[in-house]
Amino acid sequence: MPLLKIQKAARLALKDYMGLEESENLLVIADPKMREIALAIYEAGIIIAKEAFYIEMREREVNGEEPPEQIADLMKAVDVVVAVTSKSLTHTNARREASKNGVRVGTMPGITEETMIRCLNGNIDKVLEITKKVHNAFQNVSKVKVLAKHGTNVTFDTTNRKSVASTGILRNIGESGNLPSGEVYIAPVENSVNGIIAFDASIANLGVLTHPVYIEVKNGVIKKISGRGGDARLFGKLVNRYGEKSKTVGEFGIGTNPYAKVCGEILEDEKVLGTVHFAFGNNISFGGTIDVAFHIDGIISKPTVYFDDKIIMEDGKLLLE
């Protein structure tokens, strides 16, 4: 991939999305697998920021696993953090504490050069427009139903839960989110999720799926996982890691980024316009009650979605004015 395109995307990430100023300090967190992209971000930061710091840690085992205490402390001591890591730091105490301190935190778990160039060079206003429409439609919704061709048929309650509009634009004090982004997500009432979820596009840590993975959920908790091939078995091993907490539905989200494509990296996959996703595990960052060092997303393509019995998406096409 041409170096100039990566350098341009890195500058866009810091200036246009994170709003990094010349008076601010930047911390870039990486692991060995993500070193090349992380260094591009760091090198752009040296030019823009007052000071830029680069630090590596070993790769975390799962999304949501905490970074070392020393890095968590550093995260609270700067103005902007960009985490270019293999596993997500979004749903960690370290990220939450940094945000409480007023730090702007952009997380880029598993990002590829292709995703960086494709999504960060897209029209920001278009992503904002679609995200706003979905977020507005989600206001005061109590009941959600999701259907899809591979057998997804699931309902859940969102009473008194607030949806989050994630655009990737993180310019205000304490803001955090994925970079790039483009989704609206919510924490369903934990014991309200019932039905079948059939992931047919991709699952975090597993990549693009060869066969759908079927998940039976009762009162918010996984009761059965099935599917052809090895993906269902591997997914089962992951979600059983912490018992019932990691088997509980923690998130429902709708992709709003027209530039994103399903590529096997969940950072981009969950943002694809025309998809929805469910995640299991931690959701205390956005209004839920599940506190566990684990968070795993799966993607459903071309779903039909109802908000309080009103259809807002049909076979992956948004039906919003």
Side-chain angles (χ1 to χ4, degrees), residues 91-140:
H91 303 286
T92 60
N93 290 325
R95 198 281 304 158
R96 285 187 283 272
E97 290 302 313
S99 296
K100 286 179 184 177
N101 248 35
V103 181
R104 309 194 299 281
V105 184
T107 53
M108 307 173 80
I111 193 166
T112 63
E113 292 179 348
E114 290 81 3
T115 295
M116 241 184 116
I117 292 168
R118 180 166 56 244
C119 294
L120 291 176
N121 282 289
N123 185 331
I124 296 176
D125 291 336
K126 189 66 176 177
V127 177
L128 282 169
E129 177 189 350
I130 298 170
T131 305
K132 183 179 179 180
K133 283 182 179 180
V134 175
H135 188 240
N136 286 344
F138 227 141
Q139 301 308 301
N140 302 314

Side-chain angles (χ1 to χ4, degrees), residues 251-269:
E251 175 190 356
F252 169 72
I254 298 176
T256 59
N257 191 326
Y259 307 103
K261 299 178 181 179
V262 174
C263 62
E265 291 294 344
I266 208 68
L267 171 68
E268 181 171 5
D269 292 356

Side-chain angles (χ1 to χ4, degrees), residues 14 19 28-29 41 90 106 161 171 189 223 262 265:
L14 294 178
V28 179
I29 305 170
I41 299 284
T90 305
R161 295 288 172 93
R171 301 171 185 160
V189 175
K223 296 302 177 185
V262 174
E265 291 294 344

